[in-house]
Amino acid sequence: MSHPIDPPEDLPLFPLQGVILLPGEILPLNVFEPRYLNMLDDVRRGSGHLGIIQSRSGTDLQQPVLAGTGSVGRLKQWQETGDGRYLISLVGISRFRLVREVERQTPYRVATVDYSLYRDDRLPRAAIEGDHDRLLQLLQAWFKAEHLTADWDSVRATPLATLVDQLSMSAPFPSDDRQALLEARGPAQRLTLILALLAERIAGEAGGAMH
């Protein structure tokens, strides 16, 4: 997961409730708010990195309270639309701990962050041991209950660690559960959490009875 420029310690922040970015994964975003269009212009001229961090629910929409842990992403693709939006994709580099916000003359927020707890995030993603079949069983039960479809052959063929990280980002878990998945030590711990979350969801759908 090498890249030519290390992410900066003072990082522009993009607060998003219900969105996380994990190392090695891709996050597409449709950006339209003027302050974040401004931020992306600055990011493109600078290091190419920005921070994705969850905003806390029930707080000021303009200046929300932020989670303590987020992720730095590197701008991978960028496209300007005819109506002034930016369509971008970020590749996850590393998680970080939020240290403190920095006063800057910018319309967006900037914070000093600490990557030291997550040095392993920049290493290639290692394979993990786990019950792939159990995960598929729970996923299929959940998708059936939610009337969702999936390409199950592709799901089966996806390495377990990759599948776990992609589910952590894309499955419709509540924000607090997403944050717990983000802060887990790695894919193996995320797998344990996802199995518990899926079992809980399915039990709820079945009125407390697992099938």
Side-chain angles (χ1 to χ4, degrees):
M1 203 179 299
S2 62
H3 47 92
I5 302 175
D6 285 335
E9 290 185 359
D10 287 353
L11 195 63
L13 298 180
F14 197 163
L16 291 166
Q17 188 177 354
V19 177
I20 62 171
L21 174 60
L22 288 167
E25 290 302 320
I26 302 296
L27 177 66
L29 291 171
N30 174 15
V31 183
F32 53 86
E33 194 172 344
R35 57 180 163 172
Y36 297 122
L37 297 173
N38 181 288
M39 179 184 71
L40 284 171
D41 289 337
D42 291 344
V43 164
R44 291 173 63 223
R45 287 191 292 263
S47 73
H49 297 89
L50 61 91
I52 298 295
I53 192 165
Q54 286 209 90
S55 54
R56 299 294 192 189
S57 60
T59 59
D60 185 347
L61 292 177
Q62 291 301 309
Q63 196 77 3
V65 174
L66 302 177
T69 301
S71 297
V72 59
R74 176 170 52 84
L75 192 60
K76 181 178 175 66
Q77 292 182 323
W78 173 90
Q79 177 185 353
E80 186 172 2
T81 68
D83 58 0
R85 293 174 292 120
Y86 289 165
L87 303 178
I88 68 168
S89 63
L90 300 171
V91 58
I93 302 300
S94 172
R95 291 166 293 171
F96 60 76
R97 290 292 299 165
L98 187 67
V99 177
R100 61 182 173 276
E101 291 202 47
V102 179
E103 289 295 330
R104 293 285 177 86
Q105 296 301 313
T106 58
Y108 54 86
R109 297 162 77 172
V110 178
T112 299
V113 302
D114 179 10
Y115 305 104
S116 63
L117 289 176
Y118 302 108
R119 292 188 180 93
D120 289 349
D121 283 0
R122 303 198 203 186
L123 300 175
R125 182 163 37 199
I128 61 172
E129 297 294 329
D131 193 341
H132 204 150
D133 290 341
R134 175 61 173 163
L135 177 59
L136 286 171
Q137 178 189 23
L138 289 172
L139 276 177
Q140 288 173 328
W142 185 34
F143 273 48
K144 182 178 180 181
E146 298 289 338
H147 307 291
L148 301 173
T149 59
D151 181 349
W152 294 111
D153 288 337
S154 295
V155 173
R156 286 187 186 90
T158 302
L160 185 56
T162 301
L163 178 60
V164 165
D165 284 355
Q166 291 176 350
L167 284 171
S168 297
M169 288 180 54
S170 63
F173 296 124
S175 295
D176 288 348
D177 291 338
R178 284 190 193 278
Q179 192 65 27
L181 290 163
L182 175 69
E183 295 180 18
R185 284 191 301 272
Q189 190 180 66
R190 278 193 282 278
L191 173 59
T192 300
L193 285 171
I194 282 180
L195 291 173
L197 290 170
L198 290 175
E200 182 181 354
R201 284 287 189 95
I202 295 164
E205 291 285 345
M210 283 290 293
H211 294 288

